[in-house]
Amino acid sequence: MINKCLFPAAGYGTRFLPATKATPKEMLPILTKPLIQYGVEEAVEAGITTMAIVSGRGKRAIEDHFDISYELEHQIKGGSKEELLDEIRSLIEKCTFSYTRQIEMKGLGHAILTGETLIGNEPFAVVLADDLCQNDEAGVLEQMKKVYEKYQCSVVAIEEVPMDETQKYGVIAGKLVDGTEDTYRVSDMVEKPEPKDAPTNLAIIGRYILTPDIFDILRNTKAGKGGEIQITDALLEQAKQGRVIAYKFKGKRFDCGSVDGFVEATNWFYDRMKS
Ligand code: UTP
């Protein structure tokens, strides 16, 4: 069973400066909803209600968002705007939120290791809220949970990207599992390879299910590409033992950590709301 979802949300979000100088990237809205709320909704849809958030300096707005705002709620009570808070209220009622801080921003792998104190010794999901995923049927985490239940090992979500974009992603190599068209047993992983060095164009996006032995591996993982502790390097240790599945998810993904992806998501959700 996957009961907990970790949200590494300590990054600086430099691609969105100056907006992210005092506002966490995860709080930037697509229409009226902050990115991290979409991520929490996806986890809830997958049956997960324990949210563990790795935050950092300047990220207080995330905690305030998943809390009651007495003055505001008193002010709009009984009026037409009250329903605008329905979704967030229902999340607050259903879920628990706990927080820990990453003191030094030493990369995604380090952020996940920082979350160990909130996760403990059990398999868990990871959502990078700046990858916004959408599917009309089962959400991406729900799809991945099913894959985890079948294979009982770490699962990464992948999508095919243009070959000239491999340097933005962790890229996998692997063999399709017999009888499937979307499930690979991973044999190799490379962090942000140049196209000429990339084994495939199958890129890891911001959804993972990890088994808890990943924490010990991360503790022993040295800084890699960009001087950061990379989750890809730690996953490679599991992959060498045949314990990583890559799953080509159904649905759309918007890279809301980039301005182009953010605008694309905004337009897509706006068109959908209007139609
Ligand atoms: P990114 O690579 O998108 O980095 O991190 P970033 O700092 O958020 O944004 P840019 O590149 O400067 O614009 C991927 C995910 O890992 C988290 C981020 O919050 C984001 O969810 N992260 C990254 C951490 O929590 N801690 C880190 O040290 C690095």
Side-chain angles (χ1 to χ4, degrees):
M1 275 294 283
I2 307 292
N3 296 312
K4 296 181 180 171
C5 186
L6 186 71
F7 293 81
Y12 290 122
T14 52
R15 283 170 288 173
F16 272 89
L17 283 170
T20 45
K21 189 166 173 240
T23 303
K25 174 168 79 170
E26 298 73 17
M27 287 301 295
L28 297 178
I30 298 297
L31 306 189
T32 54
K33 214 190 293 183
L35 284 168
I36 194 158
Q37 187 176 333
Y38 287 94
V40 168
E41 286 173 356
E42 189 184 322
V44 169
E45 204 187 291
I48 301 172
T49 52
T50 304
M51 309 300 160
I53 299 179
V54 178
S55 71
R57 283 180 290 285
K59 300 276 185 170
R60 282 272 300 281
I62 299 177
E63 288 184 44
D64 290 340
H65 186 68
F66 294 111
D67 197 354
I68 304 272
S69 171
Y70 281 107
E71 244 177 70
L72 168 71
E73 298 196 21
H74 177 74
Q75 192 76 27
I76 63 174
K77 199 172 168 53
S80 61
K81 295 203 176 120
E82 197 177 3
E83 66 179 48
L84 298 177
L85 291 178
D86 284 353
E87 278 181 343
I88 181 70
R89 271 193 191 146
S90 109
L91 286 184
I92 294 168
E93 274 166 27
K94 275 190 210 131
C95 305
T96 62
F97 296 87
S98 48
Y99 300 85
T100 190
R101 275 196 182 206
Q102 189 184 12
I103 307 293
E104 286 178 283
M105 308 321 160
K106 291 200 242 168
L108 175 58
H110 183 258
I112 291 175
L113 181 56
T114 304
E116 181 182 20
T117 177
L118 303 175
I119 299 293
N121 189 24
E122 58 184 282
F124 60 102
V126 177
V127 167
L128 306 187
D130 50 0
D131 265 343
L132 175 50
C133 293
Q134 205 283 332
N135 191 38
D136 284 339
E137 284 155 27
V140 176
L141 264 194
E142 195 178 340
Q143 297 170 40
M144 292 173 73
K145 232 177 97 167
K146 294 214 172 85
V147 176
Y148 172 78
E149 278 156 16
K150 192 156 175 202
Y151 297 96
Q152 301 282 322
C153 66
S154 291
V155 182
V156 297
I158 50 166
E159 76 176 14
E160 286 187 45
V161 297
M163 205 63 205
D164 60 0
E165 289 185 14
T166 55
Q167 68 283 2
K168 292 193 207 160
Y169 299 92
V171 173
I172 67 120
K175 264 208 178 116
L176 269 177
V177 174
D178 281 351
T180 72
E181 286 171 359
D182 51 13
T183 310
Y184 296 78
R185 182 77 65 181
V186 176
S187 55
D188 195 11
M189 307 178 108
V190 196
E191 181 64 15
K192 301 194 170 76
E194 290 302 320
K196 66 176 175 28
D197 302 322
T200 64
N201 66 339
L202 298 172
I204 303 172
I205 64 124
R207 298 288 181 279
Y208 307 77
I209 290 181
L210 302 174
T211 52
D213 56 302
I214 199 75
F215 293 127
D216 272 339
I217 301 174
L218 280 167
R219 250 185 288 284
N220 294 310
T221 301
K222 297 206 170 53
K225 198 124 197 177
E228 297 191 328
I229 297 176
Q230 301 290 353
I231 187 65
T232 314
D233 294 339
L235 278 165
L236 180 58
E237 292 303 309
Q238 292 186 332
K240 282 181 193 158
Q241 299 160 24
R243 294 196 296 118
V244 180
I245 291 288
Y247 168 68
K248 214 192 266 180
F249 64 93
K250 294 179 187 64
K252 289 175 83 63
R253 178 202 57 122
F254 299 97
D255 172 14
C256 294
S258 74
V259 175
D260 286 349
F262 190 90
V263 172
E264 195 195 336
T266 302
N267 288 335
W268 192 88
F269 280 88
Y270 185 73
D271 287 346
R272 196 175 151 108
M273 183 183 76
K274 290 287 176 191
S275 62

